[in-house]
Every structure is written in structure tokens, then in C-alpha cells.
Amino acid sequence: EDQVTQSPEALRLQEGESSSLNCSYTVSGLRGLFWYRQDPGKGPEFLFTLYSAGEEKEKERLKATLTKKESFLHITAPKPEDSATYLCAANNAGNMLTFGGGTRLMVKP
Amino acid sequence: DGGITQSPKYLFRKEGQNVTLSCEQNLNHDAMYWYRQDPGQGLRLIYYSQIVNDFQKGDIAEGYSVSREKKESFPLTVTSAQKNPTAFYLCASSIGDLQPQHFGDGTRLSIL
């Protein structure tokens, strides 16, 4: 059974304190790994797609990386507006996604 | 602006009642999806449709039904058979295989 696990469940950072979020996956034949940002009461907003081990993508203070077993979302010098829940999802067949439980990030000024 | 519109934002259901959640997209996407999100949990797939007049069950389809009569619309009915319907429901669409799914802003369903 496909499984995606995110850690930690919650993360508190001071503004400017860099850190990483982890997404471990057990998926037969991974075809793509997606990262989303979700604000309270809103739908997830697409951030990145990674297709193969070694791939990296960047957007402002965020960088996503992928290995054969996990993906990391690195947040450099975060700001309070980066506070949100970050979701990862794995695609192994068709366009069906298996989502992790998310990491709730809180950045204090 | 192109996007996905879900309505209503909040919905209340009485015992034994069926309710229908609306999802409309103007992105010209072929594929559409319905997910359920419970507090502290990831999204779980209820139903999906890759083309008009065709849809498949996801992981938790029991107690739900859908239709796809138009490309733009994918309504979800929560039937009285769904015994624990309180959740945040999200609709998404995608242009095709391995392309990102884009989400609406959800409908929160509660039981009276």
C-alpha cells in the first residue's frame, strides 16, 4: 500500500531561522512528487513537482529536493507570511495522488 | 480569472438528508477530483473523473455519489449513507497526467 509520511507534524521557527520539512514515501514506481501550501480554510496551492531523484526546484525562500526515498522542503530565512501547512503528495499511477498528513509551520516575528 | 469555484463555503446537513456540493472550473481541464480532509489528516480521494460522462471511485467512495455531465462541472452528493460526513471537502482539476492538480477553496460540511 502506498504511504506518504511527513515530519514533523508541527514546526515553530523564529523569523530568519532556516529549517527543513521531510516527506518520506513508500510508493511503487514513483512518477512525481508534489508539494503544496495550504492556508487555514483554503484549498492547497501548488508549489513544486519533482520527477526524479536528484532534482531540485526553487521558489523564493523555498527549495524542494528529491531522493529515492524522501523529499525535503528547505525554507531559508523564513518570514511570518510563510506560516502555513505544507503538504506533499506522491503520484504512482494515472494522476492519483497519495497525500501526507502535512507539516504545520509557524514563523514568529 | 481562471479557477475552481466551490459552493457553498459552509453547509449543514440534517440526519437522513442528502446534500450536494458544487464544483465548477473554467480552466478547460479534463480531469476533476473530490477529496475529503479531516483535521490533522491528509487529503483522501473520494471520486475522480478523467473525461465527461465517466468517473471512478477513489479510496473512500462509500456514501458519496458524483456526476460529470459537463466538462466544467463535477458535483458531489453526500448521501444519508455516509455516517460521518463532517469534514472539509476539496475539489480539484488537472489538465492531464502528471500535471499539478489545482484546488478550489473547499466546502465545510457539518451535521445539525
Side-chain angles (χ1 to χ4, degrees), chain B residues 84-105:
Chain B
N84 184 23
T86 298
F88 190 47
Y89 290 87
L90 288 159
C91 178
S93 71
S94 170
I95 199 166
D97 191 25
L98 274 185
Q99 297 303 307
Q101 293 181 18
H102 298 274
F103 287 82
D105 276 340

Side-chain angles (χ1 to χ4, degrees), chain B residues 4-69:
Chain B
I4 300 176
T5 301
Q6 290 188 242
S7 62
K9 190 167 180 66
Y10 300 95
L11 188 58
F12 297 91
R13 194 191 90 170
K14 296 180 180 178
E15 293 287 342
Q17 186 181 44
N18 294 352
V19 292
T20 297
L21 284 61
S22 171
C23 177
E24 303 278 332
Q25 55 102 356
N26 61 4
L27 299 168
N28 200 33
H29 287 175
D30 286 315
M32 297 187 74
Y33 310 82
W34 274 106
Y35 292 92
R36 170 182 172 136
Q37 187 175 34
D38 294 284
Q41 295 190 32
L43 280 65
R44 292 183 290 167
L45 183 64
I46 304 173
Y47 268 97
Y48 64 99
S49 168
Q50 295 181 315
I51 197 168
V52 174
N53 292 322
D54 187 46
F55 50 83
Q56 284 79 40
K57 293 181 179 180
D59 299 322
I60 56 166
E62 186 174 349
Y64 300 97
S65 66
V66 294
S67 63
R68 186 85 188 278
E69 297 176 1

Side-chain angles (χ1 to χ4, degrees), chain A residues 1 11 21 27 49 74 80 94 109:
Chain A
E1 182 182 331
L11 181 61
L21 283 55
V27 171
T49 310
H74 308 276

Side-chain angles (χ1 to χ4, degrees), chain B residues 71-87:
Chain B
K71 187 175 185 177
E72 304 79 21
S73 180
F74 192 40
L76 173 74
T77 296
V78 184
T79 75
S80 56
Q82 173 48 245
K83 297 307 178 188
N84 184 23
T86 298

Side-chain angles (χ1 to χ4, degrees), chain A residues 93-105:
Chain A
N95 205 22
M96 268 60 71
L97 298 178
T98 300
F99 279 85
T103 293
R104 188 161 58 94
L105 174 66

Side-chain angles (χ1 to χ4, degrees), chain A residues 7-63:
Chain A
S7 62
E9 289 186 8
L11 181 61
R12 291 176 182 266
L13 299 174
Q14 286 297 127
E15 184 172 2
E17 180 186 0
S18 301
S19 188
S20 295
L21 283 55
N22 177 265
C23 171
S24 298
Y25 61 89
T26 306
V27 171
S28 55
L30 181 76
R31 300 172 71 230
L33 191 291
F34 297 78
W35 281 98
Y36 288 85
R37 168 192 170 126
Q38 186 177 24
D39 292 302
K42 299 286 188 178
E45 175 189 347
F46 170 70
L47 293 174
F48 304 109
T49 310
L50 302 167
Y51 293 104
S52 58
E55 190 175 0
E56 299 183 353
K57 295 249 176 101
E58 287 189 64
K59 180 180 179 180
E60 297 180 359
R61 295 176 292 281
L62 301 177
K63 183 169 81 171

